Each structure stands twice: as structure tokens, then as C-alpha cells.
Amino acid sequence: MTMLHPKAAVAVDGHIELSRDDFARFVSTYTPTDLHDMEAYLEPLLAGWLYVGPGIESTAANYDHFLQVVVSITDAILKGSLSLDYRGPDMAPYRRRLIGLQDPNLGASVLSRMGYDQVVHQTLEGRRSEAGAKPR
């Protein structure tokens, strides 16, 4: 059995913690719908973080790291140390309560390797296209 050097484990844990904090900052201002939902599934918030936030960069476009971050996010929410509450466009505070990981009404899943890889590919391709477009 391979043992990690203690400093290596701290570096990995530190990066996961930074990614979790990055998600917390993003979700504090992210409203995925026009409605101010009181209840939320985690997966649509994660998808928003990947698509329109810095989630891909924060997880180094690496699925295994993403899953470690998701576990850390979920753990922090359950322990009460990460809030899903957010400030809307009017800067008024809104409360949001976690009711599950996956929304049963959504077909695609960013939690699967294929779903995550597809989001990363589409998002990075879109960013490259935008960067390559010349302003008129």
C-alpha cells in the first residue's frame, strides 16, 4: 500500500478546500432561475458553477478532483459550514435549502464522468470560440 507524504495530503486537501470556497462564493450570488427558489438540488448549482462560473478552472478540468470537491461541498452543507443562501439582483438576501443531490426532473448529470467531461468540453470550446471572434 502506498502512503502519501503528509505534505502532499495537505496540498491536495488545501486545493479541495479552495475549490469548495470558490463554489461558496459563486453560489452566494447565483440564481439559476428567475424564481427565488427556497429549495434546491445541488447538481444544478454545480452545473452553473461549471458553465458560467469558475468551476472548471477551480477543479482543474479534472473529474476526480471535481468529485472530491463535491464530497467536500456536500459535507460542509450538511455540517452547516457552507450556506446556499444568496443575494439576488436586488441584493436582498434569499434562503435556499438543500433537498437533494440530483434533480429528478433533469436528464443530464454533471455528476457522471461523461456529463462532467461533456460540460468541460462544451464550455472550453465555447470560450475558445468567443475568444476567436473578432469585434465588429
Side-chain angles (χ1 to χ4, degrees):
M1 179 173 196
T2 306
M3 294 296 290
L4 286 178
H5 189 277
K7 287 186 180 182
V10 169
V12 170
D13 288 345
H15 194 247
I16 291 167
E17 198 172 276
L18 288 173
S19 297
R20 184 189 65 223
D21 293 346
D22 186 47
F23 173 81
R25 276 188 301 278
F26 172 79
V27 82
S28 71
T29 59
Y30 179 63
T31 311
T33 64
D34 291 335
L35 304 172
H36 298 293
D37 297 329
M38 302 281 288
E39 298 178 330
Y41 289 95
L42 185 59
E43 186 174 18
L45 298 173
L46 291 167
W49 183 50
L50 295 172
Y51 275 116
V52 297
I56 292 172
E57 294 80 7
S58 188
T59 60
N62 180 289
Y63 178 71
D64 293 327
H65 180 73
F66 172 71
L67 283 184
Q68 290 176 323
V69 173
V70 170
V71 168
S72 179
I73 289 168
T74 305
D75 188 52
I77 292 168
L78 293 174
K79 289 178 178 176
S81 61
L82 192 153
S83 172
L84 296 178
D85 296 348
Y86 64 101
R87 294 209 173 269
D90 55 0
M91 293 307 291
Y94 293 93
R95 304 212 46 86
R96 192 165 31 200
R97 182 177 66 87
L98 183 68
I99 58 172
L101 289 177
Q102 291 183 292
D103 186 338
N105 300 313
L106 298 178
S109 172
V110 298
L111 295 175
S112 72
R113 181 178 296 276
M114 187 173 14
Y116 177 82
D117 289 344
Q118 183 177 1
V119 168
V120 169
H121 176 74
Q122 288 175 343
T123 303
L124 293 179
E125 283 299 314
R127 291 178 187 171
R128 284 187 198 109
S129 296
E130 289 173 7
K134 295 184 181 188
R136 293 182 182 229

